Each structure stands twice: as C-alpha cells, then as structure tokens.
Amino acid sequence: MKGGLAVALGAAAIAAAPLVASTYHVLLMLPFMAYAVVLLGLNLLFGYTGLVSFGHALFIGLGAYTGAFLTTHAKIRSLEVILLAAAVLGALVAIPVAALCVRYVKIYFGMLTLAFGMVFYTFVLKFYRLTGGDEGTPFLRPSLLGRSLDAMPKIDYLVGPYYYYSLAVLGLAALGMWRIVHSPFGLCLKTIRDNPTKAETLGIGVTRHRFYAFVISAIYAAVGGVLLGPPTGNVDPTLAYWTHSGNIVFMTLLGGFTSFFGPVVGAFVFIYLQSWVMSVVPYWRLVFGAMLAVIVIFAPDGLVGLVTRRRPAPAGRA
Amino acid sequence: MQKIFNLACGSFYALGAYVGVSAVGWYVDAGGPPALFIVPLALAGLAVGAVGVVVERGLLRFVYDRDETFQLLMTFAIVLMMEDAIRLTWGTAPRSTAGLYLVYGQVRLFGATVPVYNLIVIAASLAIALAIGWLLTRTAFGRIIRATADNREMAEALGVDMRRVYAKVFTLGTALGTLGGALVIPATAAMSEMGIELIVEAFAVVVIGGLGSMRGAFVGALVVGVLRSIAISVYPELEMLLIYLIVIAVLVARPRGLFGGATA
C-alpha cells in the first residue's frame, strides 16, 4: 500500500500547489497535467500493450485544434463540449489509423504511426484557411461548467478555476485508466505484450485488443491536447510534429513505462527540468538528449523503476 | 543493414551541410581557385563522417541487444543532441555558400536552365550508388555485411568480429549522410532544422523502396523527388501530404517496400 500512499500524497500536493507555490510554478503545472492525461493513454499502448507510437502528436494536435476551432470559429466556449468533441473526433480519426497500424508491430508500427502523424502535420500546415498555417489558431478562453469566466484576469483564471478543472480531468482520466488496466481487458493487453502467440492460442483477439488500446490512447491524447490549449491561448502545428511525438515517448520512458504512474512522474520531471535547463542555457535538447541516452542505457525502467527496483514487484504494477 | 532505424541520419546530413559550408568558406578565404571548391566540400563531408565512430562506439553499441524501441529512442536522443550541437557551433541563422555553385555555369537541357553543379551532384550520387552496390555485392566486406544482416549469430560463429563490422557499417552510413549534406548545400542553405525535416523524407524514401534494399532506396528517392516536383507545380498544398500518403499506401499494401525482398 506504499504506492497508494504515494499517489494520495502526490494528489494532495498538486491540489495544494496553487495555495503555496509561486504563480510561475503553478502555471507549469498546467502543461504537466495535460501531458499526464496524454501519457496515461500513451502508456496503455507502450507499457501495457508493447506498441510504441511515434505519431501520437497527431491526436494531441487534433484535440488542441478542435478546441481552437470550436472557440474561434464555431463560438462554442464550453470546455465540457470541447472535451467531448475532441474525444469523439480523436476516436473517429483513430479508428481507421489504428485499423491500419495495429496490423504491424515494433518498428513498422512506429514508422506507420509517424507517417500518419506527419500527414496530419502537413495538413494543418498547408490548409491555412482552416488552421491558420504555421501561425496557428487562437484558443479562446473556454467557459467551465457553463460559467463564462472572461471577466477574470488571465492569471487568476489559469491558477484558479482552470487549474482545478485540469486536475479534475486528470483525476478522472487516471481513475478510468486504472479501471481499464486492472480489468480483464487490461490483463489481455499485458498477455499480448508478453507473448502474442500465447495470447492468440488462448483465444484473445490480438489485433482487436491492440486496436481498442490504440483508440483509447488516442482519445486520451486528444483530451490532453485540449487541456494544452488554454494556458498558451494559441495552438500551432508544432504540437503535431514528429519530434513532439518523440518527446512524449521520452517522458514516458523518463518516468518509467513499467509502472502505472511512471509516465505521470515523467511528465512532471520533464516539464520542470526543461523549464529549469532553459533558464540556465538555451540548449535544452543537448542536455535532454544526453539524459535520454543515459536512461536508455542504464535505467530503461525510468525514475520510478530506479526507486522500486529492489522490490520484486510484478511488471506493470504501480 | 544493421536493422537499426536511424532517426539521426537527418542530423548527420545537416552536420555535413554545415561543415561543408564552413570548409568552403575557409577555402575561399584562403584564396583557393573557386572552380575547385567541390574538393574541400567533398573532403569535409567525408571527414566529418568520422563522428559516426564516436556515436556508434559511445552510444549505439549499448543497445544492440535491446528491444528495437530502445534503439529508436537512442537515435532520437542523438537527434536532440545533434540539433543543439549544431546550433551551439554555427548559430541559428541559415548558412550558405552564396552563388558559388554557379561558377560551373549553366546549361540548357530539355528547355530548362540547369546549373552544371546540379548535374555534377547527380553524377556523383550515381557514382556513389554504384560504388556502394559494388562494395556490397562484389567484395568480401560486402559479403560479411550481408551475412551479418541475415543472421548475426551465424556470422559471429563463423568468426566475424561483430563490433568492427557494426562500427564500420555505421561510420560508412554516417559518412554517406554527411557527404550528401555537404554536396547538396551549395544549391540551398544550411538550417538547423534541416536534419529533423530531412529524416521524414529519407524515411519516406526508404519505406517506398524497401528497408535494406539499396536499389529500392535509389528508386524510392527518384519517386519522392519526382512526385514532389510534380505536386509543387500542380497543387502545392499537396506536396508533402502526397509523399506521406504514398508511404502509408506502400506500408499497408507492401510493408517490405517495392523492392524489399529479405525479411526485416
């Protein structure tokens, strides 16, 4: 139950952050929570099913652009409607993409997802009438639970209502994912990861389960993508670029893909370390690249793996 | 050939481009005859390929026995590092050799004006392709490379020193990448983002042609190049979109690529 205690403490710390931490640090928590939602979904595919997508920036971008489009062009400001629309759209786009991608594994899967991600990137870049091209589209301030908060100063809005809204979404997303990975469906995914042949002989539809996992992870990425929009107020194509897909895989690995909350820890460390390194030198990629190399070589289980390594915990448990 | 999908090949290309620009700059400052600028350019491109040894010995060799995912992530780490290493060395402004490539003049070919330099690059790439083909199919070293790609354990059991083969192959690949970057640069400009942009195109080329097939890569490059030009003149919005759609079509219909025979 040590894990449960750590999670409760973490949640309490996040909830208390706006009361004690500086505004700067609280604002950094917003992209952290958004990425945490994305990574919970990504890890269903990476850690639990054994498929590494190099194209999930597609769904982040899709979610973010859905929000930008609805607030700017369709005059729909309700964040609940936006999240729902992004989830539905994410699923609709993911269905054909997943159907094609899950026919392959390992490197081919990664390459195919990368190609789809770049199709979307090129689309948002070139069809500028719809997306604003490389300048992006504004993401107007959404209303929360039906209440328009346009009168609030931007910082108050972000560190106040929007912060707790994001936290609530993250909490629900984590709860939902916890249920998924601990359901019979989740067990099937782990079996597929460890031994697809055996899973097949046990009567598990391997391709079908991979397909479901992909679609669920895409929905999570789209929802997380929406949450990324309001803090910056603008959505641009770099969200969908392939290096962004690489960065989120990096976050997952940094925290540890073998544990449930590992990716969440990874997102936290990534965001804060990046902001700190960038305040010291502008070359954060050099530092992070070296860090990634070290993790890949010495600590493939990530930070959470380093902490829990001594305990003979079964793989895939927090 | 090493069965490593190297995301960093674009970064090597960018590195070659920058080094090429600098080498030509020094050469011109030192008063060398402009007509021979291609010599320092090519030499610099080849020489900086030595960075391949460092990368292979320093990083990649640790992940040969790991899952492909970790190999992919390792090359992604190299992409991140190289991008900033280039920014750190050459700054963020684009670099170019100005109009130097026009010293060879231009010719009219099929009604279009083509700089002679472009023809030299085409000839050079053909020559390199032939040389690589010869190396792989006609020499003992080429046989060893192909044997390793087919069955690493068997090759090792037959007394092939895997570490040296991998180091050589990777360095050769790197040198080709940097040379390519150096050769193409007089006609364009070096930018720090060119590496991560090229990789997607290079990846399209390799997928269309088929992994591990040299002939396929050549045909893939032609397909991508020609289609891009056609798309630009017909419907510019479609340019890269078209390439990716073809990649997806090829991956779905023939995951081994148009020319891929061997199982990857």
Side-chain angles (χ1 to χ4, degrees):
Chain A
M1 275 293 93
K2 239 192 286 176
L5 192 67
V7 170
L9 280 177
I14 298 174
L19 307 174
V20 289
S22 70
T23 310
Y24 172 74
H25 286 110
V26 176
L27 286 179
L28 277 182
M29 292 297 282
L30 296 173
F32 151 66
M33 290 190 278
Y35 279 116
V37 174
V38 174
L39 296 186
L40 282 172
L42 186 74
N43 207 36
L44 182 70
L45 213 52
F46 183 176
Y48 289 93
T49 319
L51 295 170
V52 180
S53 163
F54 253 78
H56 258 53
L58 191 173
F59 301 105
I60 299 178
L62 191 68
Y65 271 99
T66 305
F69 182 82
L70 288 181
T71 55
T72 308
H73 297 292
K75 310 283 174 240
I76 292 172
R77 299 283 282 273
S78 159
L79 191 52
E80 297 80 55
V81 174
I82 294 170
L83 287 172
L84 191 67
V88 171
L89 203 60
L92 285 179
V93 172
I95 286 169
V97 172
L100 290 172
C101 291
V102 295
R103 288 158 58 185
Y104 308 101
V105 286
K106 293 192 170 177
I107 210 93
Y108 285 100
F109 177 82
M111 283 160 53
L112 203 50
T113 50
L114 193 145
F116 275 111
M118 290 309 289
V119 168
F120 183 73
Y121 171 77
T122 320
F123 175 82
V124 294
L125 199 62
K126 298 285 179 181
F127 289 81
Y128 48 83
R129 274 183 213 87
L130 189 65
T131 61
D134 56 2
E135 286 183 6
T137 310
F139 194 130
L140 303 180
R141 185 185 298 183
S143 62
L144 309 176
L145 302 172
R147 286 176 41 205
S148 172
L149 298 161
D150 283 355
M152 255 185 166
K154 181 170 182 185
I155 299 293
D156 290 353
Y157 168 76
L158 289 178
V159 302
Y162 187 74
Y163 183 92
Y164 287 103
Y165 197 95
S166 296
L167 181 58
V169 173
L170 172 59
L172 286 175
L175 210 61
M177 189 51 71
W178 182 267
R179 292 289 295 270
I180 290 172
V181 301
H182 291 91
S183 69
F185 173 73
L187 279 175
C188 288
L189 293 183
K190 281 183 242 177
T191 316
I192 290 169
R193 172 196 66 195
D194 294 339
N195 193 340
T197 320
K198 186 161 190 183
E200 193 83 65
T201 55
L202 288 172
I204 299 172
V206 172
T207 315
R208 200 163 46 89
H209 276 79
R210 282 180 178 147
F211 172 79
Y212 291 143
F214 192 110
V215 174
I216 294 170
S217 78
I219 294 171
Y220 269 71
V223 168
V226 172
L227 292 182
L228 275 178
T232 54
N234 194 59
V235 170
D236 70 65
T238 52
L239 282 175
Y241 202 54
W242 74 267
T243 48
H244 196 221
S245 297
N247 284 345
I248 59 174
V249 177
F250 181 0
M251 291 180 199
T252 310
L253 194 74
L254 174 65
F257 67 96
T258 52
S259 90
F260 183 83
F261 283 106
V264 177
V265 174
F268 183 81
V269 175
F270 188 97
I271 300 275
Y272 275 86
L273 211 56
Q274 186 186 31
S275 115
W276 179 72
V277 169
M278 279 169 86
S279 69
V280 182
V281 282
Y283 304 104
W284 67 273
R285 289 184 192 82
L286 195 63
V287 178
F288 273 56
M291 201 165 78
L292 177 57
V294 169
I295 293 170
V296 168
I297 295 173
F298 296 107
D301 288 341
L303 297 172
V304 173
L306 281 180
V307 176
T308 55
R309 184 175 282 172
R310 307 244 159 66
R311 269 193 302 153
R317 297 274 166 105
Chain B
M1 283 296 158
Q2 267 174 291
K3 298 184 183 171
I4 287 194
F5 184 63
N6 188 2
L7 288 173
C9 67
S11 307
F12 294 135
Y13 178 82
L15 183 69
Y18 272 97
V19 172
V21 171
S22 295
V24 170
W26 290 326
Y27 175 75
V28 171
D29 287 345
L36 287 174
F37 82 89
I38 196 166
V39 176
L41 186 68
L43 286 179
L46 274 179
V48 76
V51 79
V53 186
V54 180
V55 168
E56 200 274 343
R57 286 287 89 191
L59 296 172
L60 276 180
R61 70 184 167 112
F62 296 107
V63 293
Y64 286 143
D65 297 325
R66 299 282 190 81
D67 196 78
E68 283 167 338
T69 308
F70 289 106
Q71 301 177 351
L72 201 64
L73 280 165
M74 182 56 95
T75 63
F76 184 64
I78 298 167
V79 170
L80 291 175
M81 286 189 279
M82 295 272 291
E83 199 186 339
D84 265 357
I86 286 173
R87 280 208 187 109
L88 202 60
T89 319
W90 282 279
T92 47
R95 296 294 196 92
S96 77
T97 56
L100 198 57
Y101 74 106
L102 291 174
V103 294
Y104 295 113
Q106 300 179 327
V107 285
R108 289 194 66 79
L109 211 64
F110 309 117
T113 310
V114 183
V116 174
Y117 181 78
N118 292 16
L119 298 180
I120 295 177
V121 172
I122 293 172
S125 61
L126 272 173
I128 292 169
L130 288 175
I132 295 293
W134 175 80
L135 176 79
L136 284 177
T137 54
R138 295 274 184 275
T139 65
F141 182 57
R143 271 193 289 278
I144 290 174
I145 295 176
R146 284 183 293 135
T148 312
D150 271 349
N151 191 334
R152 183 182 153 185
E153 284 81 13
M154 185 55 102
E156 233 172 343
L158 290 173
V160 173
D161 184 348
M162 211 50 44
R163 289 180 310 155
R164 297 187 58 180
V165 172
Y166 277 169
K168 281 182 192 165
V169 169
F170 191 81
T171 310
L172 181 66
T174 308
L176 285 176
T178 51
L179 177 64
L183 282 180
V184 89
I185 215 54
T188 60
M191 290 175 292
S192 53
E193 298 87 14
M194 65 190 290
I196 54 172
E197 274 166 25
L198 177 97
I199 169 65
V200 195
E201 240 175 285
F203 145 84
V205 165
V206 173
V207 169
I208 291 173
L211 284 171
S213 159
M214 287 291 166
R215 205 158 40 113
F218 203 75
V219 174
L222 266 178
V223 170
V224 170
V226 170
L227 276 175
R228 271 195 81 164
S229 325
I230 294 175
I232 286 176
S233 57
V234 178
Y235 190 54
E237 273 81 5
L238 274 182
E239 187 204 343
M240 282 315 280
L241 204 57
L242 187 69
I243 305 296
Y244 299 128
L245 291 176
I246 292 170
V247 166
I248 290 167
V250 168
L251 274 174
V252 169
R254 281 195 64 132
R256 305 253 177 271
L258 298 178
F259 285 83
T263 50

